Amino acid sequence: MKGESFVIDDLVPTSYIFYFFLSKIFCLIYGIVRLRCFKTVFIHPSSTIKCASKLKFGKNFSVGRLCYIDALSKHGLICGDNVSLGFFTHIELTGSLKLLGQGMIVGNNVGLGTHGHYGSGAGLLEIGDNTIFGNYVSVHAENHNYSNLDLPIRSQGVNGKGIKIGSDCWIGAKATILDGTILGDHSIVAAGAVVKGIFPPYSVIGGVPAKILKMRK
């Protein structure tokens, strides 16, 4: 279905394969009915999708168990082909109804790991083709204003430059990516890194705050 060669390991039990395909067929039927489309879309019934009219996707869009998607935003949630959301993925593109968030654009062949949080808010969140995310990754394309000492921070609004993650990147588990980050193509982010800044293609970065550890090329 994805246009790639794929061979199942001989050690996988037949019962596991049967259950896997049965659950996929069930999610496909539910996805077609839930989103009222005739694309290959797999939605687990336990997941929540809000503002589905702002959700656009290509073929083989897959949403795992107990995901939460709120696509309300200026641009919505736009996904290419073969995009998958691991279970407990949380996507919330508008933090307040006072100001719509910019939205999120995801390229082709992107995999979001389990338990991740992705927010656009005041800045646009962009993810390039063939990029993969580990578990518990959080991405925040927004900051709170805090310059006025006479007002509570929560009352001062937000700002955002946006986040752009390049193509063919690997984001390690529990990494945090903050507003204003531009990550070049073919880069790797180490597990647990806190990323903010501009990094060239082929960077391997890690640490708190994240720094370039070496270059792949």
Side-chain angles (χ1 to χ4, degrees):
M1 293 180 69
K2 293 185 177 181
E4 301 174 355
S5 59
F6 187 86
V7 179
I8 297 175
D9 194 297
D10 293 336
L11 296 178
V12 179
T14 303
S15 58
Y16 187 96
I17 297 173
F18 175 78
Y19 176 79
F20 174 81
F21 281 105
L22 188 65
S23 63
K24 283 294 184 181
I25 292 172
F26 182 70
C27 290
L28 175 62
I29 295 172
Y30 180 81
I32 291 173
V33 174
R34 172 65 180 84
L35 299 180
R36 300 175 184 176
C37 68
F38 292 96
K39 295 181 179 180
T40 47
V41 51
F42 304 89
I43 308 292
H44 196 278
S46 63
S47 292
T48 299
I49 298 177
K50 300 176 68 175
C51 201
S53 62
K54 301 291 287 186
L55 172 61
K56 303 184 186 305
F57 51 88
K59 63 181 181 181
N60 301 323
F61 181 58
S62 179
V63 178
R65 292 183 291 109
L66 296 168
C67 292
Y68 178 89
I69 300 174
D70 187 347
L72 177 64
S73 55
K74 293 180 180 178
H75 299 285
L77 174 58
I78 303 173
C79 298
D81 295 337
N82 306 321
V83 173
S84 64
L85 279 59
F87 58 86
F88 284 101
T89 295
H90 186 114
I91 297 177
E92 191 166 10
L93 304 184
T94 294
S96 171
L97 297 181
K98 294 180 180 179
L99 179 66
L100 286 184
Q102 292 296 319
M104 181 175 176
I105 301 174
V106 183
N108 300 316
N109 308 311
V110 172
L112 306 182
T114 70
H115 300 86
H117 176 89
Y118 303 85
S120 66
L124 180 66
L125 172 55
E126 299 178 73
I127 300 172
D129 297 341
N130 300 302
T131 287
I132 53 176
F133 290 76
N135 302 330
Y136 295 94
V137 171
S138 59
V139 184
H140 308 273
E142 181 176 88
N143 280 310
H144 286 279
N145 299 322
Y146 56 87
S147 59
N148 190 338
L149 302 183
D150 297 323
L151 284 176
I153 293 174
R154 68 177 183 84
S155 302
Q156 296 186 45
V158 295
N159 66 84
K161 298 178 180 178
I163 293 174
K164 187 172 184 179
I165 300 172
S167 300
D168 185 34
C169 293
W170 172 23
I171 314 299
K174 298 184 179 179
T176 300
I177 301 178
L178 301 178
D179 184 51
T181 295
I182 299 177
L183 184 63
D185 297 341
H186 317 292
S187 293
I188 297 174
V189 176
V194 177
V195 183
K196 184 175 182 179
I198 300 175
F199 300 90
Y202 297 98
S203 297
V204 179
I205 65 177
V208 182
K211 301 178 180 178
I212 296 177
L213 304 177
K214 64 179 181 178
M215 301 299 294
R216 294 180 62 202
K217 183 178 180 181

